[in-house]
Amino acid sequence: MNLRPCAIFFEMTVSEVRQRYLDFFEKRGHTVIPSAPIVPENDPTTLFTSSGMQPLVPYLLGQPHPEGSRIVNAQKCFRAEDIEEVGDNRHTTFFEMLGNWSLGDYFKKEQLAWFFEFMTSKEEGLGLDPRRLYVTVFNGDTESNMSADTASVEIWEKLFSEKNIDAKYIELDTEENAAEVGMQQGRIFAYGAKKNWWSRAGIPTKMPAGEIGGPDSEVFYDFGTPHDTKFGKECHPNCDCGRFVEIGNSVFMQFIKQKDGTFAELPKKNVDFGGGLERLTAAANHNPDIFSIDVFNDARMETNEKTKLFERKNISPQEYAEEFTEAYRIVLDHIRAATFMLASNITPSNTEQGYVLRRLIRRAFLKSRRIGAGEKIFVDIAATYAKAYKNTYPRLTQNLEKIQNELCKENEQFSKTLAKAIKGLWKLFNDDSKDLSEKMNGQILFKFFTTEGFPPELILEQYNNYRKQEKLS
Ligand code: SER
């Protein structure tokens, strides 16, 4: 009997991708440095480390780094501004950013070639199919008098042609235009400052004096999922439909903003590369859902086991599936972020980092109740993360008991807050001396939100319950 050979598919793990990246750049003269803490040490301007370059700013400004001019690491990052995006296939608040830096050493030619090699090499990198890679470059910015990055275009053309890929160059400039005209079989796309300029403050005109930045070149992995016209007529690398996921960004950090609003060249030209570890792992496994990577496996199972599907009216199965998926991803993400924060000695409070942590736990609490899993699973989810990161971040295991206690404490406190707020809200609904518009007055609801910490979506849910009961009686 002739047996057909089975296709054996080995999934790459987060640890493997991290290690491969560090080894790849170490072999090319970089020194591996540890991740800086998630709360910046000498930077009171921001609550969390949100990119790999943040702890390296003094060195990008010209101060010599004790480890030399080529540095590589995996940095724990937290981006509060992405909180509303979590729930789709690719956003998380907490993530690890793989980063390599040239501090006045190599520049565009080496950087783009190395990252391309890392992505495509089966032996040393991720073995990605180069035909699934699309790149973007800076199209210039008249307002800040910055010219287009034609050097990067030439480098990318050469790199793709070495793989026998015809790399057509297309100027898309704005997302609006891109959604209108589409990709036109291009491979290298130029966008304006909004998409291909990087500084911590955003586009050149938003940068304060003294801030550093530069043009960047991003790489997108094409998961080949169908385009959703909800996000625009045509798909393109920066489209939000989820087909293309950004997996790496090479920033050519060479400018500093002056007091008079103009830009000066930094004493040395730097490279600041950042690539989301979770996304790179998803690309290596050709799975567009980053919540399917190994570090989430046990947490996903834990959540799925406890989940109860509710009978839902007025909502299609498709809408229900979407809402459900979004909710469970939020739970996985927020509790992972909370676990890392608690391991860094942040505790829930009403100010600064503690407030963000509180918001994460409370948001996860509501979403977890929504999918019937409840908040009690948080302690088990935290344990799955301690296990998943046992070797890389042992602090999670060392502090697990404390982390779990804090999660329970915060859950209990929030349960009480909720019960009290629900009581107050129903008292208001049942108050016959006020008419409906007065009861649902924005100011009153805002008070519930700010003083009772009662989220608007819950106010609405309680109100709908009240209306339902009213109709029944
Ligand atoms: N600073 C860039 C980013 O955060 C690249 O590291 O995307």
Side-chain angles (χ1 to χ4, degrees):
M1 190 169 71
N2 276 337
L3 284 178
R4 271 198 319 165
C6 294
I8 300 175
F9 183 62
F10 292 105
E11 295 232 328
M12 260 206 209
T13 64
V14 160
S15 289
E16 265 174 274
V17 173
R18 189 194 297 111
Q19 200 54 51
R20 277 185 169 240
Y21 176 79
L22 297 176
D23 290 347
F24 183 95
F25 280 94
E26 195 175 25
K27 211 171 141 191
R28 284 152 185 84
H30 292 65
T31 303
V32 183
I33 60 164
S35 169
I38 198 160
V39 176
E41 277 168 325
N42 299 313
D43 185 357
T45 59
T46 136
L47 293 179
F48 296 100
T49 303
S50 64
S51 64
M53 60 76 82
Q54 213 169 302
L56 292 166
V57 171
Y59 311 106
L60 292 164
L61 280 164
Q63 188 183 313
H65 194 287
E67 299 294 348
S69 58
R70 295 183 179 194
I71 306 289
V72 64
N73 80 350
Q75 173 64 47
K76 297 185 290 276
C77 296
F78 179 79
R79 287 193 178 169
E81 62 272 27
D82 282 348
I83 198 164
E84 298 295 337
E85 314 276 352
V86 180
D88 66 10
N89 66 331
R90 59 198 183 283
H91 282 95
T92 54
T93 53
F94 172 86
F95 62 99
E96 280 181 82
M97 188 181 270
L98 299 179
N100 63 273
W101 289 273
S102 158
L103 304 170
D105 191 314
Y106 56 87
F107 207 45
K108 295 182 184 178
K109 195 157 81 40
E110 295 83 351
Q111 171 55 28
L112 298 181
W114 279 338
F115 185 49
F116 195 59
E117 191 184 348
F118 174 72
M119 289 186 294
T120 54
S121 162
K122 285 197 175 70
E123 292 74 33
E124 285 188 90
L126 305 183
L128 302 183
D129 179 349
R131 287 165 305 180
R132 292 204 171 268
L133 303 177
Y134 292 81
V135 301
T136 65
V137 295
F138 181 53
N139 200 26
D141 180 45
T142 39
E143 240 182 297
S144 56
N145 208 15
M146 287 289 167
S147 49
D149 183 5
T150 50
S152 291
V153 178
E154 279 169 30
I155 299 166
W156 282 123
E157 279 170 345
K158 184 167 165 286
L159 291 169
F160 279 109
S161 85
E162 283 165 6
K163 300 269 182 205
N164 297 320
I165 295 171
D166 178 30
K168 198 166 140 197
Y169 169 69
I170 307 278
E171 269 178 44
L172 291 174
D173 203 44
T174 63
E175 284 170 274
E176 294 73 25
N177 179 52
E180 214 31 62
V181 300
M183 305 196 28
Q184 305 157 69
Q185 290 164 346
R187 177 74 53 182
I188 305 166
F189 300 92
Y191 288 86
K194 235 174 114 191
K195 286 286 148 194
N196 281 93
W197 174 274
W198 201 91
S199 81
R200 286 177 300 174
I203 56 171
T205 45
K206 285 233 170 99
M207 289 165 64
E211 187 62 50
I212 51 175
D216 67 15
S217 181
E218 299 189 319
V219 176
F220 291 81
Y221 184 81
D222 179 6
F223 282 100
T225 48
H227 174 60
D228 183 345
T229 49
K230 183 165 85 199
F231 298 95
K233 196 170 106 212
E234 298 283 342
C235 197
H236 60 104
N238 274 305
C239 173
D240 280 328
C241 77
R243 171 182 161 189
F244 293 100
V245 174
E246 185 216 320
I247 55 170
N249 184 13
S250 299
V251 183
F252 304 113
M253 197 61 91
Q254 68 190 100
F255 296 106
I256 181 161
K257 184 99 172 246
Q258 304 294 287
K259 283 204 181 91
D260 64 4
T262 61
F263 282 87
E265 289 261 354
L266 282 166
K268 288 179 185 163
K269 289 180 186 172
N270 309 297
V271 173
D272 155 27
F273 169 82
L277 174 58
E278 292 81 352
R279 290 179 175 193
L280 283 159
T281 309
N285 297 326
H286 192 61
N287 188 333
D289 178 7
I290 69 163
F291 291 93
S292 68
I293 60 175
D294 67 298
V295 288
F296 290 117
N297 277 350
D298 289 348
R300 218 175 42 237
M301 264 151 56
E302 199 63 53
T303 318
N304 283 346
E305 246 171 52
K306 306 279 162 43
T307 294
K308 282 186 230 69
L309 296 180
F310 294 118
E311 200 193 317
R312 301 281 297 281
K313 305 219 170 71
N314 307 328
I315 177 168
S316 71
Q318 161 84 6
E319 280 170 327
Y320 184 35
E322 276 171 19
E323 192 190 312
F324 183 84
T325 308
E326 187 199 69
Y328 106 82
R329 284 173 175 164
I330 289 174
V331 173
L332 295 195
D333 169 72
H334 288 13
I335 298 304
R336 184 172 68 142
T339 303
F340 272 90
M341 284 186 193
L342 289 162
S344 313
N345 294 328
I346 303 171
T347 45
S349 73
N350 285 336
T351 55
E352 303 188 327
Q353 286 93 352
Y355 174 70
V356 178
L357 172 59
R358 171 159 283 167
R359 238 189 107 195
L360 285 171
I361 301 173
R362 292 185 171 193
R363 230 170 151 247
F365 179 113
L366 296 171
K367 293 293 173 187
S368 200
R369 281 198 171 182
R370 190 123 189 96
I371 57 175
E375 66 281 8
K376 293 214 171 68
I377 62 165
F378 294 175
V379 291
D380 296 327
I381 296 183
T384 71
Y385 291 137
K387 191 171 144 222
Y389 290 99
K390 190 171 74 224
N391 297 325
T392 324
Y393 300 113
R395 276 181 81 111
L396 266 53
T397 310
Q398 288 153 8
N399 291 287
L400 185 59
E401 216 179 295
K402 190 192 89 182
I403 295 169
Q404 292 175 319
N405 283 340
E406 287 290 345
L407 286 170
C408 287
K409 229 164 75 188
E410 185 60 18
N411 283 343
E412 272 165 31
Q413 200 173 326
F414 190 43
S415 288
K416 281 189 202 143
T417 306
L418 276 184
K420 193 173 143 232
I422 290 175
K423 223 166 127 191
L425 208 52
W426 279 73
K427 204 168 144 207
L428 177 75
F429 293 153
N430 287 321
D431 182 354
D432 291 335
S433 66
K434 292 194 174 83
D435 68 20
L436 194 62
S437 62
E438 244 183 303
K439 288 180 200 176
M440 289 304 280
N441 170 325
Q443 249 175 345
I444 295 177
L445 300 182
F446 189 67
K447 186 191 133 247
F448 270 97
F449 175 52
T450 50
T451 58
E452 314 276 2
F454 205 62
E457 67 261 31
L458 261 200
I459 298 182
L460 196 67
E461 195 180 282
Q462 290 300 320
Y463 177 68
N464 287 338
N465 288 348
Y466 166 73
R467 291 300 300 262
K468 232 186 279 166
Q469 186 194 293
E470 211 184 26
K471 270 191 210 131
L472 289 176
S473 58

